[in-house]
């Protein structure tokens, strides 16, 4: 038997075999109690996040749904300054899923969680009838701790602050969409999916003057900048000439009628920081793998309020609005 | 910047405001994305034309496709931007949510693959677009004929650009000094189909590409023609557009399709501006296989799309713009597609934001 059957989710012997053969070795499920019991630190605030992953296809250039599920949740914790400690993982598997594919997904979750130092301590599995799912869906919940003295939010943004982006944009969304639409690139275009907690550690260790950080996933850089503009009440002014977009990504965007500013990223963060520290911080970020292509993209100004303004290469202006209803394939 | 200075100089010597129309929706969006209006003298008015195929697809066509989707064993395929277009009562997205089998494809060839994989079903490609996309559909039909994939059908609302331009220029309310012609469409049809612009209407025209520098150079060439009192069809986009276009694509298109009178949303009936399947390929027309009828669609009241598509009004002149009509809840055709002029104004315009229009 090499595929998931409905009875693997039935609560009986087959389900126990599935858990013992696949999930227990991949994760740290030392006891099969329904709730994990873990050690805790006394100081700091708790950060808690949950996210579901339905990306199609679930293997894509540069990653898979498992890698995405761990990185996505770890990154959500990292963006509020939390050190990720524990995670849970819930799986919804479609009848007929090959075990070999499940194994590959679990292996990549195991590998990246060990690299990050986050422990996957509890999980759940359900099986749905063939046709009722899309192979594999994963929900991850993460818990982390925010050390004292760290408080990040858009309300702390001040006019004059600088906007930093940690790398070239649009890679994840385009890698997934290109895979779906059968477009190939030479050299291949790969997703940027990666954990950002190491980069964030380094940034917080470098300066105290970071106002806010966020990873521009669904909706892309445009949406995150709008969240900053709305949250702070100021204008985020970004210069087209500074924004890094790989030429293959730009080409694919032109072909598919997309704007890279709205395309999802899974290994990029945007930070707003005090102007005095911006250049040094970018230099420090570039010493890390995740931040090797970091750049200053623009600054915060007073007017027009609640707005993202884009200074084009030609010297013109354009508004970068929230995404409104453009249909994109599932990419996260 | 030399080009912008040259444009300024020429416009100053014209001594009057110049009204230029970009026919193509891709130009409308590119002009906003590059912030080109900010760079031009105030005396150049850029007007958006009828060249967004999604926008001009009629309510009745959307309703008909939805009715087809509700038939047994029918799979509808279409490009993503058709999904949100409001019909009389529903959009394709609404029908999909109700359980109709409607799928977004990136190419009509995907519909062919789907037909091969679902031989018991009728797979219908809802074909919209101008001469840029219709040859792809013709090519797909050629492939379907060759491979004898008999369950691939199309619902064609393909339209052609030159008859629409003729219709515009016949309208006495339409005041245009020059035309920025669509680079992509011209890649297929070549320059000759535009001869009437000069011969019958004496309109300066420039086939233009889509980069910021293409558009500025196209405008410069156009303004130069106007100021010097000439009228030609010039080709700014010669690195892509050959004067004779793509004869193979045109031949393929003509093999399968012939012109017919069709209704353009917001504008009305335009003679010989649509493409229907020729007699010998009618078996590929879903309307010859499945019979559905829907009532004539109503154009929304108070909507100014017709005047916007003709360059008589700009989107902000419409009472609905940004209030009752937004990209999330479009009323009129021009707000529907990302390339519609109202959607582009709504999304990108700094002036809109500064004036707090909405």
């Amino acid at each position: 038997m090499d595929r998931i059957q409905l009875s693997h989710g039935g609560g009986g012997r087959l389900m126990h075999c599935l858990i013992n053969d696949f999930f227990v070795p991949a994760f740290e499920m030392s006891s099969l109690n329904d709730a994990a019991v873990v050690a805790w630190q006394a100081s700091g605030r708790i950060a808690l996040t949950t996210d579901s992953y339905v990306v199609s296809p679930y293997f894509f250039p540069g990653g898979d749904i498992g890698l995405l599920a761990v990185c996505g949740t770890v990154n959500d914790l990292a963006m509020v300054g939390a050190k990720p400690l524990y995670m849970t993982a819930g799986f919804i598997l479609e009848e007929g899923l090959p075990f070999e594919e499940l194994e590959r997904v679990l292996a990549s979750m195991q590998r990246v969680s060990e690299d990050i130092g986050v422990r996957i301590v509890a999980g759940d599995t359900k099986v749905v009838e063939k046709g009722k799912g899309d192979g594999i869906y994963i929900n991850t919940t993460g818990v982390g701790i925010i050390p004292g003295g760290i408080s990040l939010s858009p309300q702390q943004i001040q006019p004059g602050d600088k906007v930093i982006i940690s790398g070239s944009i649009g890679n994840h969304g385009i890698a997934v969409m290109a895979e779906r639409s059968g477009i190939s690139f030479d050299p291949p275009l790969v997703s940027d999916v990666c954990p950002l907690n190491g980069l964030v550690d380094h940034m917080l260790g470098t300066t105290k003057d970071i106002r806010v950080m966020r990873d521009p996933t669904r909706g892309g850089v445009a949406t995150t900048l709008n969240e900053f503009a709305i949250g702070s009440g100021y204008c985020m002014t970004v210069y087209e000439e500074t924004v890094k977009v790989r030429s293959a990504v730009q080409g694919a965007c032109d072909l598919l009628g997309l704007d890279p500013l709205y395309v999802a990223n899974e290994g990029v963060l945007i930070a707003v920081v005090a102007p005095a520290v911006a250049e040094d911080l970018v230099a420090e970020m570039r010493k890390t793998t995740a931040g090797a292509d970091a750049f200053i993209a623009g600054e915060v100004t007073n007017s027009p309020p609640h707005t993202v303004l884009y200074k084009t290469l030609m010297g013109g202006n354009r508004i970068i609005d929230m995404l409104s209803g453009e249909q994109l394939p599932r990419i996260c | 910047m030399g080009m912008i200075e040259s444009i300024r100089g020429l416009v100053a010597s014209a001594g009057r405001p110049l009204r230029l129309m970009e026919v193509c929706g891709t130009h409308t969006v590119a002009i906003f994305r590059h912030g080109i209006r900010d760079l031009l003298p105030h005396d150049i008015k850029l007007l958006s034309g009828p060249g967004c195929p999604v926008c001009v697809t009629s309510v009745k066509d959307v309703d008909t496709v939805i009715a087809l989707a509700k038939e047994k064993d029918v799979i509808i395929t279409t490009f993503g931007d058709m999904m949100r277009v409001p019909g009389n009562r529903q959009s394709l997205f609404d029908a999909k949510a109700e359980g109709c089998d409607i799928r977004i494809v990136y190419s009509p060839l995907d519909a062919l693959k789907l037909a091969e994989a679902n031989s018991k079903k009728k797979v219908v490609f809802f074909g919209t677009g101008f001469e840029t996309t219709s040859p792809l559909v013709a090519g797909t039909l050629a492939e379907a004929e060759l491979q004898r994939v008999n369950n691939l059908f199309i619902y064609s609302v393909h339209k052609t650009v030159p008859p629409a331009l003729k219709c515009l220029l016949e309208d006495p309310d339409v005041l245009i000094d020059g035309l920025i012609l669509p680079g992509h469409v011209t890649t297929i049809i070549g320059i000759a189909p535009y001869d009437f612009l000069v011969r019958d209407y004496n309109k300066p025209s420039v086939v233009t590409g889509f980069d910021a520098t293409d558009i500025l150079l196209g405008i410069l060439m156009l303004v130069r023609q106007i100021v010097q009192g000439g009228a030609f069809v010039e080709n700014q986009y010669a690195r892509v557009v050959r004067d004779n276009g793509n004869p193979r694509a045109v031949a393929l298109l003509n093999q399968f399709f012939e012109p017919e009178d069709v209704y353009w949303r917001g504008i009305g009936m335009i003679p010989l501006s649509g493409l229907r399947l020729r007699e010998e390929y009618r078996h590929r027309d879903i309307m010859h296989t499945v019979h559905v009828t829907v009532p004539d669609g109503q154009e929304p009241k108070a909507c100014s799309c017709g005047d916007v598509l003709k360059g008589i009004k700009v989107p902000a002149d419409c009472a609905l713009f940004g209030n009752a009509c937004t990209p999330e809840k479009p009323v009129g055709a021009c707000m529907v597609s990302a390339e519609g002029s109202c959607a582009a104004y709504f999304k990108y315009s700094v002036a809109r934001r500064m004036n707090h229009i909405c």
Side-chain angles (χ1 to χ4, degrees):
Chain A
M1 167 200 328
D2 55 358
R3 284 176 186 273
I4 290 287
Q5 300 173 358
L6 274 179
S7 44
H8 280 115
R13 193 181 303 276
L14 268 182
M15 193 177 95
H16 278 262
C17 289
L18 177 73
I19 292 170
N20 281 317
D21 292 352
F22 289 90
F23 292 94
V24 171
F27 306 142
E28 285 190 51
M29 293 171 195
S30 47
S31 92
L32 284 182
N33 287 334
D34 282 342
V37 180
V38 296
W40 195 247
Q41 292 164 243
S43 71
R45 291 179 299 152
I46 294 172
L48 193 63
T49 185
T50 191
D51 212 338
S52 299
Y53 299 85
V54 297
V55 62
S56 170
Y58 47 86
F59 293 104
F60 50 81
D64 59 60
I65 192 168
L67 179 64
L68 193 61
V70 175
C71 292
T73 288
V74 162
N75 292 348
D76 284 348
L77 291 174
M79 290 310 118
V80 294
K83 289 189 190 307
L85 294 175
Y86 302 108
M87 284 178 65
T88 68
F91 292 79
I92 297 176
L93 308 176
E94 186 186 11
E95 183 185 12
L97 176 76
F99 276 132
E100 182 268 337
E101 295 191 348
L102 177 62
E103 235 165 350
R104 278 167 64 197
V105 168
L106 293 177
S108 76
M109 292 178 81
Q110 181 180 15
R111 205 176 314 122
V112 69
S113 58
E114 283 174 5
D115 286 352
I116 296 166
V118 66
R119 296 165 61 193
I120 303 176
V121 291
D124 176 55
T125 312
K126 296 284 187 295
V127 179
V128 295
E129 279 171 59
K130 186 148 187 73
K132 297 279 171 67
D134 202 355
I136 178 165
Y137 297 149
I138 304 177
N139 170 274
T140 48
T141 292
V143 59
I145 200 149
I146 307 175
I150 293 176
S151 171
L152 304 169
S153 85
Q155 283 80 35
Q156 305 193 28
I157 294 173
Q158 296 297 320
D161 284 351
K162 296 288 182 188
V163 177
I164 295 173
I165 302 180
S166 70
S168 74
I169 66 168
N171 297 298
H172 175 72
I174 291 299
V176 172
M177 270 182 271
E179 181 77 7
R180 288 170 62 111
S181 52
I183 306 169
S184 55
F185 294 91
D186 189 22
L189 187 59
V190 296
S191 164
D192 58 356
V193 56
C194 76
L196 295 169
N197 61 312
L199 171 63
V200 170
D201 267 355
H202 192 60
M203 290 170 70
L204 291 171
T206 303
T207 174
K208 297 278 176 239
D209 289 324
I210 298 173
R211 318 287 195 209
V212 65
M213 285 187 283
R214 210 161 277 182
D215 56 337
T217 54
R218 259 180 310 180
V221 167
T223 301
T224 298
L225 290 173
N226 268 285
E227 287 165 1
F228 290 171
I230 292 163
S232 68
Y234 297 117
C235 173
M236 306 290 127
T237 301
V238 172
Y239 297 87
E240 183 175 18
E241 64 186 326
T242 66
V243 175
K244 292 180 184 171
V245 183
R246 291 196 179 126
S247 58
V249 170
Q250 187 62 56
C253 280
D254 290 345
L255 208 61
L256 296 167
L258 302 170
D259 183 338
L261 289 170
Y262 291 90
V263 174
N265 310 278
E266 291 290 348
V268 169
L269 68 80
I270 308 181
V272 179
V273 308
V277 301
E279 298 217 357
D280 288 347
L281 182 58
V282 166
E284 285 302 316
M285 289 169 74
R286 287 183 178 163
K287 293 176 184 168
T288 67
T289 322
D293 291 325
F295 58 93
I296 296 176
E299 69 255 337
V300 179
T301 53
N302 274 303
S303 163
H306 306 284
T307 298
V308 180
L309 198 60
Y310 202 51
K311 298 279 189 186
T312 70
L313 275 176
M314 305 301 296
N317 294 307
R318 98 187 216 221
I319 295 284
I320 304 288
D321 209 345
M322 285 275 195
L323 197 64
S324 49
E326 270 93 327
Q327 50 277 314
L328 298 171
R330 274 181 281 141
I331 42 173
C332 59
Chain B
M1 182 158 301
M3 272 196 291
I4 293 167
E5 289 314 311
S6 307
I7 293 171
R8 280 183 200 284
L10 284 165
V11 172
S13 71
R16 66 180 173 96
L18 301 180
R19 296 166 64 87
L20 311 182
M21 173 177 277
E22 80 274 2
V23 175
C24 171
T26 311
H27 274 140
T28 303
V29 171
I31 286 165
F32 274 113
R33 278 170 65 162
H34 300 303
I36 283 176
R37 272 190 180 74
D38 294 349
L39 309 174
L40 296 175
H42 289 302
D43 270 353
I44 290 192
K45 295 271 177 272
L46 292 178
L47 307 164
S48 306
C52 160
V54 173
C55 301
V56 296
T57 298
S58 76
V59 171
K60 188 172 182 177
D61 284 322
V62 174
D63 289 344
T64 305
V65 171
I66 291 172
L68 287 168
K70 291 182 177 175
E71 292 288 310
K72 199 167 171 299
D73 291 332
V74 169
I75 301 176
I76 300 288
T77 58
T78 191
F79 294 136
D81 42 3
M82 284 311 298
M83 296 296 289
R84 279 192 311 133
V85 182
N88 221 356
R89 208 175 58 79
Q90 281 189 312
S91 67
L92 289 171
F93 261 137
D94 297 328
K96 183 174 162 69
E98 281 185 6
C100 293
D101 196 345
I102 301 173
R103 308 192 193 183
I104 296 172
V105 291
Y106 290 93
S107 154
L109 285 167
D110 294 341
L112 177 62
K113 277 187 221 145
L114 199 64
E116 286 174 297
N118 294 275
S119 56
K120 297 269 189 310
K121 307 244 178 178
K122 298 184 184 73
V123 175
V124 182
F125 181 70
F126 181 15
T128 56
F130 295 115
E131 294 91 328
T132 339
T133 42
S134 44
L136 289 174
V137 178
T140 304
L141 289 174
E143 199 61 28
E145 289 287 305
L146 198 68
Q147 296 177 23
R148 298 178 195 284
V149 181
N150 296 326
N151 61 326
L152 177 76
F153 300 89
I154 64 164
Y155 184 86
S156 169
V157 296
H158 292 109
K159 294 181 173 62
T160 51
V161 168
L165 295 180
K166 187 172 168 57
C167 167
L168 279 185
L169 295 172
E170 285 292 329
D171 188 331
D173 292 334
V174 173
L175 303 170
I176 304 170
D177 293 300
L179 289 158
I180 300 169
L181 294 175
H184 292 152
V185 164
T186 314
T187 308
I188 304 293
I189 66 175
I191 303 289
Y194 300 120
D195 285 349
F196 74 96
L197 295 174
V198 173
R199 189 184 62 230
D200 302 340
Y201 301 98
N202 200 35
K203 284 294 168 212
S205 307
V206 178
V207 176
T208 305
F210 298 90
D211 288 348
T213 44
D214 285 328
I215 294 171
L216 283 174
L217 183 55
I219 290 172
L220 174 60
M221 290 164 74
L222 201 50
V223 171
R224 189 180 288 146
Q225 275 195 52
I226 296 167
V227 169
Q228 292 176 351
F232 325 93
V233 179
E234 284 185 280
N235 183 4
Q236 178 278 326
Y237 202 29
R239 70 178 188 279
V240 175
V241 173
R242 282 174 295 185
D243 281 1
N244 64 339
N246 182 338
R248 257 186 86 189
V250 172
L252 195 60
L253 193 59
N254 290 335
Q255 181 192 337
F256 284 89
F257 292 99
E258 60 189 6
E260 67 170 337
D261 300 352
V262 292
Y263 186 85
W264 292 51
R265 187 173 189 158
I267 296 180
M269 195 62 87
I270 302 182
L272 301 179
S273 65
L275 293 174
R276 70 168 170 215
L277 284 165
R278 285 182 185 279
E279 188 64 43
E280 55 269 42
Y281 297 107
R282 287 286 156 78
H283 57 279
R284 295 287 176 184
D285 184 347
I286 189 66
M287 296 305 278
H288 280 248
T289 308
V290 177
H291 299 285
V292 295
T293 48
V294 299
D296 281 343
Q298 291 278 314
E299 298 266 348
K301 291 195 178 67
C303 168
S304 303
C305 275
D307 286 347
V308 171
L309 290 169
K310 292 178 190 168
I312 296 170
K313 285 186 178 173
V314 295
D317 296 337
C318 175
L320 304 182
F321 178 77
N323 301 311
C325 184
T326 62
E328 280 80 14
K329 258 197 124 25
V331 176
C334 310
M335 192 61 95
V336 166
S337 160
E339 296 203 340
S341 40
C342 293
Y345 271 78
F346 187 91
K347 188 169 168 189
Y348 295 117
S349 173
V350 178
R352 178 179 79 81
R353 191 64 67 107
M354 288 298 204
N355 297 335
H356 296 283
I357 290 169
C358 54

